[in-house]
Amino acid sequence: MALERPKSLRELALEHLRDRIIDGSLKMGQILSERKISEELGVSKSPVREALAQLRDEGLVSIEPQKGARVFSLSEAEVTQICDFRQAIETAAFELALSRDPVGLSNDMTKVVKKMEQERGRGNDKEYLALDTSFHHLIFQHAGNDYLTASYTRYVGKIAALRTHLAKLPHHTDLSFEEHKKIASAVSHGDLAEIKSLLIEHIDRTRQTYKSASIVLDGMTAA
């Protein structure tokens, strides 16, 4: 059995920050202090600075000269671009996955949907959202195309963070879960036309929901 290489301080800082951005512990637009992060993790500023640079490449952090780093924020135009990207790349991956490994894709999606239902029942929102991300990653896993996977993986953190942001809205997760069940069912029947239709509906709802998200979330915060 091969020994697992210990993670570097940069990797530990990177995982820590990425996870906190994705789960919403660090809010969109929040200023990030290298000093505070290094003190919190008990490391020097160097690995924290390297981690922030990587997160900038992933679109999760913005870094401005003389101003420092902050968690990303999104305009409606940027959300539209993310949705356009997802629609194009997930559709392409679905076509390959259904042609190369339809049974494996269906079995894995069915398993993930069952786990999502269990975590919803437990009220475990964080794990549910992680499974939501896993559900979509399965498309690329079974497509068997490294270039598609790499393109999606580069932005998967930003997509997951947006998912967490929208999950705070009333009924969003309920509707999303129903859509995942329908997609998994269409995959089990190998119905590509239905999958494409459901995927458009699923991703477009993110686009439309974000338009009202700021108003609703501000109201929830003020309450």
Side-chain angles (χ1 to χ4, degrees):
M1 180 183 295
L3 295 176
E4 186 174 328
R5 177 180 63 84
K7 293 180 180 178
S8 68
L9 294 178
R10 171 192 169 279
E11 289 170 327
L12 291 172
L14 178 61
E15 287 187 5
H16 172 78
L17 290 169
R18 185 191 288 125
D19 289 346
R20 292 189 68 196
I21 292 172
I22 289 174
D23 70 17
S25 298
L26 293 173
K27 309 299 181 185
M28 285 189 184
Q30 182 173 334
I31 295 174
L32 300 172
S33 165
E34 288 183 9
R35 179 182 59 80
K36 289 182 179 180
I37 295 170
S38 63
E39 289 176 354
E40 180 181 350
L41 298 179
V43 301
S44 68
K45 289 184 180 180
S46 180
V48 173
R49 190 173 299 119
E50 292 173 359
L52 290 172
Q54 174 63 37
L55 292 171
R56 177 190 57 196
D57 292 342
E58 295 177 14
L60 289 173
V61 164
S62 63
I63 302 177
E64 297 182 43
Q66 310 306 320
K67 292 185 178 180
R70 66 173 63 235
V71 178
F72 79 100
S73 57
L74 289 173
S75 65
E76 288 182 23
E78 289 172 308
V79 171
T80 293
Q81 290 187 44
I82 289 174
C83 290
D84 289 343
F85 169 75
R86 286 190 59 195
Q87 188 65 59
I89 198 169
E90 290 188 36
T91 297
F94 254 129
E95 290 177 351
L96 288 176
L98 285 174
S99 68
R100 294 174 176 174
D101 189 16
V103 175
L105 177 64
S106 177
N107 289 342
D108 285 347
M109 281 194 160
T110 298
K111 291 176 184 177
V112 170
V113 166
K114 288 182 179 178
K115 290 180 181 178
M116 291 170 78
E117 186 167 27
Q118 291 171 354
E119 296 306 330
R120 283 183 78 235
R122 296 180 180 128
N124 190 344
D125 295 337
K126 183 176 180 179
E127 183 59 27
Y128 172 86
L129 291 170
L131 288 165
D132 190 328
T133 296
S134 297
F135 180 93
H136 289 275
H137 193 269
L138 286 173
I139 311 168
F140 298 90
Q141 179 181 324
H142 290 279
N145 185 294
D146 292 341
Y147 291 92
L148 281 176
T149 301
S151 297
Y152 181 76
T153 300
R154 181 176 182 182
Y155 300 105
V156 69
K158 199 166 192 174
I159 293 168
L162 175 58
R163 187 174 287 128
T164 299
H165 181 70
L166 295 179
K168 299 173 185 176
L169 297 169
H171 309 302
H172 180 82
T173 301
D174 293 337
L175 293 171
S176 177
F177 178 61
E178 291 302 317
E179 290 161 0
H180 283 90
K181 288 198 297 183
K182 291 177 181 178
I183 291 172
S185 177
V187 169
S188 70
H189 293 100
D191 191 338
L192 182 58
E194 178 67 7
I195 291 169
K196 288 182 178 180
S197 176
L198 291 168
L199 194 61
I200 290 172
E201 178 184 354
H202 182 59
I203 295 176
D204 193 55
R205 193 166 56 76
T206 293
R207 192 192 325 256
Q208 298 301 322
T209 300
Y210 193 81
K211 292 181 179 180
S212 59
S214 297
I215 297 174
V216 175
L217 290 174
D218 287 345
M220 291 170 64
T221 301

